[in-house]
Amino acid sequence: MKNIGFLSFGHWNPSPQSGTRSASDALLQSIELAVAAEELGADGAYFRVHHFARQLGSPFPLLAACGARTSRIELGTAVIDMRYENPLYMAEDAGAADLIAGGRLQLGISRGSPEQVIDGYRYFGYAPPEGQDDAAMARQKTETFLEVLRGEGFAEPNPRPMFPNPPGRLRVEPHSEGLRERIWWGSATNATAEWAAKLGMNLQSSTLKFDETGEPFHVQQAKQIRAYRDAWTAAGHAREPRVSVSRSIFALVDDRDRMYFGRNGESQDQIGMIDENTRAIFGRSFAAEPDRLIDELKGDEAIAEADTLLLTVPNQLGVDYNAHVIEAILTHVAPGLGWR
């Protein structure tokens, strides 16, 4: 059995060919897709966060709205770029959204990906401390965020407050019990996966990973997951960790599917440079008739290692079509792989 959810980047484009032409469309359609996915029996609705882009940028209003419209499905991010975040204000927003959703948030956070602008986090008022780079800044903010989510008081109370205070030092409010254990780290390397395990975060591994061994993407990703689990065990955490992987998977079951994805041919892993010093490997897409998809996915070592699979969806094709994409996987593919 696997948890199966969708991951939307929330693209919007004013082109007449797009079914999502404005930021309003992207947000409202995201809520509707979460509702539809819950009705279909999917387990999660996850959203990517990008700044300075025609995509979803501010996750907590969206997560809260999805939480108010649904009752069972997990609601998450994959991922929030911590370089842009104030950890304490983020803890307030996350706590409020999680309470609205009844404790269903699964927040994926990370150092972030290549940006739309140069050092965009500086426009938000953040800069790495002397001697640190932006990755170190993101990890430092993450550690602060995790500490605040524990719910212990740390702020000295005003002796003459506007409203009466409880005894002792104060914590960020609202506090949502259990959210600390539902934080995931989006990792592109084995080392950061092991770091996440030591801090007690769950692991998200997407369709991009630093090319550390030259092996196929799914093999490298599976090794990353095993290294993460080994580090988790060594850290002595009491609970079992969760691990998600993302994939672009399309079951060709009708003429629309064949029109959109039937001409992709044999997809393969791709190699690229995400910056001048970093070679990355990008996982292949899958698009085929259900029986063939089942055979192909049986060989994916990383999916086998993970407990959660996030299906990336082409959100600009509209809510109805994306619900169809999710339903096709749940109905025609997942049972044949033992996922349902």
Side-chain angles (χ1 to χ4, degrees):
M1 298 292 290
K2 288 197 187 297
N3 289 297
I4 301 176
F6 73 82
L7 171 60
S8 173
F9 280 49
H11 293 285
W12 60 274
N13 189 310
S15 166
Q17 284 73 44
S18 173
T20 309
R21 300 182 186 180
S22 68
S24 175
D25 286 345
L27 290 162
L28 295 174
Q29 290 176 19
S30 294
I31 298 167
E32 294 303 323
L33 186 57
V35 172
E38 179 172 84
E39 292 173 350
L40 291 169
D43 303 298
Y46 287 73
F47 304 99
R48 186 67 168 92
V49 179
H50 275 119
H51 301 289
F52 297 104
R54 290 176 173 178
Q55 294 175 241
L56 300 172
S58 181
F60 293 109
L62 173 59
L63 293 171
C66 289
R69 290 283 307 278
T70 59
S71 61
R72 178 192 59 79
I73 198 169
E74 292 180 345
L75 305 167
T77 51
V79 291
I80 297 172
D81 188 332
M82 290 301 292
R83 295 174 295 180
Y84 287 77
E85 296 297 323
N86 177 313
L88 273 66
Y89 193 74
M90 182 178 175
E92 287 186 350
D93 279 352
D98 195 43
L99 291 169
I100 290 170
R104 289 181 284 131
L105 258 59
Q106 302 285 342
L107 289 183
I109 63 178
S110 185
R111 174 259 185 207
S113 59
E115 303 175 274
Q116 297 299 108
V117 300
I118 298 171
D119 294 344
Y121 48 86
R122 294 182 184 273
Y123 293 97
F124 277 54
Y126 303 115
E130 187 71 28
Q132 291 188 6
D133 61 11
D134 60 331
M137 176 178 70
R139 289 191 291 270
Q140 185 178 58
K141 288 186 175 191
T142 296
E143 293 183 15
T144 300
F145 178 60
L146 295 176
E147 185 65 24
V148 171
L149 287 182
R150 292 174 58 195
E152 296 182 2
F154 60 91
E156 198 66 37
N158 187 338
R160 291 181 292 278
M162 181 176 294
F163 306 105
N165 280 326
R169 294 184 177 183
L170 304 183
R171 67 186 183 184
V172 167
E173 300 286 0
H175 172 70
S176 186
E177 192 69 35
L179 180 57
R180 169 63 178 83
E181 295 188 350
R182 289 179 273 114
I183 306 301
W184 307 57
W185 182 258
S187 176
T189 68
N190 289 9
T192 53
E194 293 169 357
W195 173 80
K198 292 175 183 176
L199 268 64
M201 289 186 282
N202 299 315
L203 177 68
Q204 288 182 336
S205 194
S206 72
T207 53
L208 178 155
K209 186 183 180 300
F210 289 11
D211 186 13
E212 298 183 270
T213 66
E215 296 171 291
F217 172 78
H218 73 99
V219 174
Q220 293 197 49
Q221 192 174 51
K223 289 183 175 181
Q224 179 195 43
I225 294 170
R226 294 181 198 119
Y228 165 81
R229 292 191 186 280
D230 288 344
W232 183 279
T233 299
H237 300 303
R239 68 178 177 88
E240 285 296 313
R242 290 185 61 184
V243 175
S244 74
V245 296
S246 303
R247 291 291 184 273
S248 297
I249 305 173
F250 301 98
L252 307 182
V253 299
D254 66 18
D255 289 341
R256 291 177 301 169
D257 302 325
R258 298 181 188 96
M259 176 181 67
Y260 288 134
F261 302 107
R263 302 172 187 171
N264 288 354
E266 293 292 332
S267 176
Q268 297 179 336
D269 295 344
Q270 301 292 321
I271 298 293
M273 301 296 293
I274 59 173
D275 60 41
E276 59 184 13
N277 299 313
T278 307
R279 174 183 164 101
I281 184 167
F282 301 80
R284 58 165 294 192
S285 298
F286 297 84
E289 306 293 329
D291 290 346
R292 183 179 167 191
L293 265 187
I294 291 170
D295 288 340
E296 292 178 350
L297 292 168
K298 283 179 180 177
D300 192 308
E301 292 184 20
I303 293 179
E305 290 282 347
D307 61 79
T308 299
L309 173 63
L310 301 183
L311 305 169
T312 61
V313 294
N315 73 282
Q316 290 186 90
L317 295 181
V319 174
D320 289 344
Y321 182 72
N322 280 284
H324 160 77
V325 167
I326 297 165
E327 183 177 26
I329 299 299
L330 294 176
T331 304
H332 300 290
V333 177
L337 287 160
W339 299 346
R340 278 293 187 269

